[in-house]
Amino acid sequence: FVSFANALSHHSHLRAPPKTLLHAPRNTSSRTSKGFRFFQQANAPRPPFHLSPTMLFPGRVAVVTGANKGIGFNIALQLAQCPITNHVLLACRSPTLGASAVAHLQSLLPPSSTTTLSTHPLTLGDPASHAALAAHLEATYGKLDVLVNNAAFAYKAADPTPFAAQCKPTLDVNFRGTVELTETLLPLLRKGDDPRVVSVASMAGRLKQLSPALQARFAAADLTLSVLQSLVDEYEAAVLAGTHKSLGWGSSNYGLSKLAVIAAMRVWAREEAG
């Protein structure tokens, strides 16, 4: 994760289709802070950021979903510390936690920093919430340069919810929600300067969790989003029927959701190649 800012730092004065990075591994237990260094600054909080809706924001704008804590918070910090990032928006489910995270980030930046920060509500998996975020970005900045899909959902290991009942909520947020949000924001990304899309995935999303036949379908060079969505629907139906293992599927709803996100990134990388 140390390389996040470097991976997003290349820029150009020419506008181009968004570039996608396949994924960055997530480890929900041990890597939420590893690789990051924090230096508390005693500088006073900066005034809130304001921009007239009639103006086109002149600098690079980054959005990080699920950025109020953990990996998302640290990605937002690294982007804010990157000299070519001009504004970082923390898209968080809780407005209160988002505002608190913005204040914390501001305290970690040196007084000389010119990067501005803001937050906006986002419930991943809710199309109305996705549209509201897109409308805010359009009205305030007119574009988007960096999207980091970090927000995700996972049941705790000790959760008593049956495996089949965990399937749809996990897929709806991690895969379907991420795809719908990214598709909603792609028109704004296409207006950005050398735009980038990064999706935080997981080692749980390995291809080998599937049978060879299913691996081939997910890894197909001509895979489309519609076919991928059908594959995910197929997995969900098999889980509900209790036949997923016999049909060659894995036994992790979270792992399948992350595998599908990685596959979606491959599709966007191909379709949006400039």
Side-chain angles (χ1 to χ4, degrees), residues 11-249:
H11 68 294
S12 168
H13 296 294
L14 300 177
R15 291 180 177 176
K19 295 181 180 178
T20 54
L21 304 182
L22 292 185
H23 72 284
R26 173 195 289 273
N27 183 314
T28 56
S29 61
S30 64
R31 294 188 184 177
T32 54
S33 63
K34 189 176 293 184
F36 298 97
R37 290 177 173 82
F38 302 95
F39 300 92
Q40 184 76 29
Q41 296 286 343
N43 54 306
R46 281 181 260 171
F49 172 75
H50 295 289
L51 182 68
S52 167
T54 61
M55 298 171 60
L56 180 64
F57 191 78
R60 285 177 67 78
V61 180
V63 167
V64 183
T65 67
N68 60 281
K69 64 180 181 179
I71 294 174
F73 178 89
N74 289 289
I75 292 172
L77 175 61
Q78 287 204 350
L79 284 169
Q81 292 171 333
C82 183
I84 69 164
T85 305
N86 302 95
H87 185 74
V88 180
L89 185 149
L90 284 65
C92 306
R93 184 171 54 182
S94 166
T96 301
L97 293 178
S100 177
V102 166
H104 187 190
L105 281 175
Q106 287 176 331
S107 75
L108 295 173
L109 296 178
S112 59
S113 174
T114 59
T115 302
T116 53
L117 304 166
S118 69
T119 186
H120 193 277
L122 174 69
T123 300
L124 188 62
D126 179 358
S129 182
H130 302 171
L133 175 61
H136 171 74
L137 292 168
E138 177 68 50
T140 309
Y141 312 106
K143 62 162 187 171
L144 177 61
D145 302 287
V146 175
L147 170 62
V148 180
N149 288 316
N150 167 74
F153 168 76
Y155 284 91
K156 301 295 184 182
D159 194 294
T161 306
F163 180 79
Q166 293 183 12
C167 186
K168 180 175 172 58
T170 302
L171 297 176
D172 282 351
V173 174
N174 296 355
F175 171 66
R176 296 176 181 126
T178 297
V179 167
E180 211 281 335
L181 175 65
T182 304
E183 288 284 291
T184 299
L185 297 181
L186 273 177
L188 289 169
L189 284 158
R190 294 181 184 121
K191 297 179 183 179
D193 284 333
D194 194 23
R196 303 296 173 112
V197 177
V198 176
S199 286
V200 180
S202 169
M203 293 300 292
R206 62 192 183 280
L207 192 59
K208 289 187 177 180
Q209 68 186 280
L210 307 176
S211 68
L214 286 171
Q215 288 182 36
R217 293 171 68 187
F218 272 84
D222 59 350
L223 182 69
T224 63
L225 280 183
S226 61
V227 171
L228 177 59
Q229 288 164 339
S230 295
L231 278 169
V232 172
D233 292 346
E234 187 178 323
Y235 167 76
E236 182 182 353
V239 168
L240 294 179
T243 59
H244 57 288
K245 290 185 179 179
S246 63
L247 293 175
W249 296 97

